[in-house]
């Protein structure tokens, strides 16, 4: 069983909607008290429960640690998450959006999907979808209307094109997104900086406004985290 600790309000600092620091460690307010997803520690502050958020396990946490200026995501949002894996980052977003929000978690590999489904059984604001992010028309039927935000972490050579495809189909006008650009998945013969520059240029050519770029080392090597607006 995960060990639970106690802290006082003095140790708690809210840095973004639904995102906190406790003793300089990131945490989200647990929307499903008692539930842990990847062995993270739970901490009680007064009558509320927080889940510590590991920046080495989640690129969004890494980006916040590296100076992300806005978390983009807020309570009640609808989110399309491409490359959900077993649901580590999705579960923290599930905390941030709360029970009135919804996060559609798309994953094409059956092994992590099995773990993801177990997480979604408890967290009913997470919807697991077995689907290929390259074929949004195939999972369109599971998504209600347009979403406020797209989070993409698929580590594929055509990741920018995939983001554009999904944005055209699902993202509201003025909606925002995070794209985790893994340079090694795009072109191993070029330097990471070169790949980042070309990827950001491609995003701009597709008409996205670049709100911020955050390089993720040491939390994730060869990754650029980009915050965009449609
Ligand atoms: C780096 S992992 C994602 C980790 C996850 N975002 C997290 O922070 O918890 C990338 C995931 O994307 C999935 N993936 C890659 N290409 C995909 C595609 N075309 N459609 C759906 N999922 C894909 C992989 O199977 C893998 O689970």
């Amino acid at each position: 069983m995960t060990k639970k600790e106690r802290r006082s309000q003095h140790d708690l600092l809210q840095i973004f909607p639904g995102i906190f620091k406790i003793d300089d460690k990131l945490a989200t307010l647990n929307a499903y008290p008692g539930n842990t997803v990847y062995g993270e520690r739970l901490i009680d502050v007064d009558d509320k429960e927080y889940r510590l958020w590991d920046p080495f396990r989640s690129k969004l946490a890494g980006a916040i640690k590296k100076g992300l200026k806005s978390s983009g995501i807020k309570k009640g949002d609808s989110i399309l998450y491409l490359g959900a894996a077993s649901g580590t980052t999705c579960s923290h977003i599930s905390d941030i959006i709360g029970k009135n929000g919804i996060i559609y978690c798309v994953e094409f590999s059956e092994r992590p999907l099995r773990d993801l489904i177990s997480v979604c059984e408890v967290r009913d604001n997470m919807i697991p979808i077995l689907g290929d992010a390259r074929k949004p028309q195939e999972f369109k039927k599971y998504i209600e209307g347009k979403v406020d935000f797209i989070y993409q972490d698929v580590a594929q050579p055509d990741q920018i094109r995939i983001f554009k495809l999904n944005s055209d189909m699902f993202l509201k006008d003025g909606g925002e997104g995070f794209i985790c650009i893994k340079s090694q998945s795009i072109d191993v013969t070029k330097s990471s900086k070169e790949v980042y520059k070309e990827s950001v240029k491609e995003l701009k050519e597709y008409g996205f406004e670049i709100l911020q770029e955050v390089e993720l080392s040491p939390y994730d090597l060869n990754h650029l985290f980009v915050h965009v607006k449609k």
Side-chain angles (χ1 to χ4, degrees):
M1 204 178 123
T2 310
K3 199 168 170 279
K4 228 168 164 189
E5 297 168 35
R6 235 168 231 293
R7 291 282 193 285
S8 75
Q9 280 292 344
H10 298 293
D11 304 317
L12 185 74
L13 174 72
Q14 176 155 8
I15 53 170
F16 292 122
I19 305 176
F20 302 82
K21 270 189 174 173
I22 302 174
D23 296 343
D24 215 40
K25 291 190 171 65
L26 288 177
T28 51
L29 177 62
N30 199 350
Y32 295 82
N35 176 248
T36 58
V37 173
Y38 56 105
E40 69 279 16
R41 274 162 54 204
L42 297 177
I43 295 185
D44 277 345
V45 179
D46 291 344
D47 58 346
K48 295 203 169 105
E49 185 183 270
Y50 296 80
R51 297 167 59 221
L52 289 191
W53 192 3
D54 186 346
F56 287 96
R57 302 279 299 270
S58 168
K59 296 181 189 85
L60 177 52
I64 293 170
K65 281 288 214 183
K66 290 290 303 279
L68 190 71
K69 292 191 204 120
S70 158
S71 67
I73 298 162
K74 51 191 190 316
K75 219 179 172 79
D77 271 356
S78 57
I79 316 278
L80 173 61
Y81 194 113
L82 304 165
S86 52
T88 302
T89 301
C90 293
S91 69
H92 285 285
I93 295 177
S94 143
D95 285 342
I96 297 165
I97 60 177
K99 289 185 174 173
N100 291 327
I102 190 158
I103 172 167
Y104 300 99
C105 309
V106 178
E107 174 54 54
F108 76 171
S109 172
E110 289 188 22
R111 202 191 50 79
L113 190 85
R114 277 199 290 273
D115 295 333
L116 177 68
I117 288 170
S118 311
V119 176
C120 299
E121 275 166 5
V122 178
R123 295 180 166 263
D124 56 10
N125 66 356
M126 288 174 63
I127 311 294
I129 298 174
L130 174 64
D132 183 344
R134 285 196 182 93
K135 298 174 183 161
Q137 66 285 355
E138 287 183 6
F139 54 86
K140 192 172 186 281
K141 56 181 173 288
Y142 303 114
I143 295 173
E144 236 178 83
K146 298 257 177 180
V147 299
D148 299 298
F149 206 95
I150 298 181
Y151 188 114
Q152 180 178 296
D153 183 14
V154 291
Q156 292 288 352
D158 53 342
Q159 50 196 276
I160 305 299
R161 195 189 66 87
I162 292 174
F163 187 83
K164 159 80 171 144
L165 265 179
N166 283 276
S167 163
D168 285 349
M169 194 164 288
F170 302 116
L171 189 60
K172 288 178 184 166
D173 284 337
E176 296 179 16
F178 290 140
I179 312 163
C180 306
I181 297 173
K182 185 178 181 185
S183 63
Q184 306 271 296
S185 300
I186 296 180
D187 193 338
V188 280
T189 68
K190 291 181 180 164
S191 72
S192 292
K193 275 200 172 143
E194 240 177 306
V195 176
Y196 298 159
K197 206 170 152 195
E198 288 171 7
S199 302
V200 168
K201 185 165 168 264
E202 202 180 335
L203 281 166
K204 285 182 183 161
E205 283 166 0
Y206 280 141
F208 293 105
E209 181 187 344
I210 309 296
L211 299 177
Q212 197 182 358
E213 297 169 37
V214 180
E215 212 274 317
L216 290 183
S217 65
Y219 302 110
D220 269 285
L221 302 180
N222 307 309
H223 275 83
L224 186 72
F225 193 90
V226 185
H227 187 182
V228 299
K229 184 168 181 166
K230 184 170 173 178

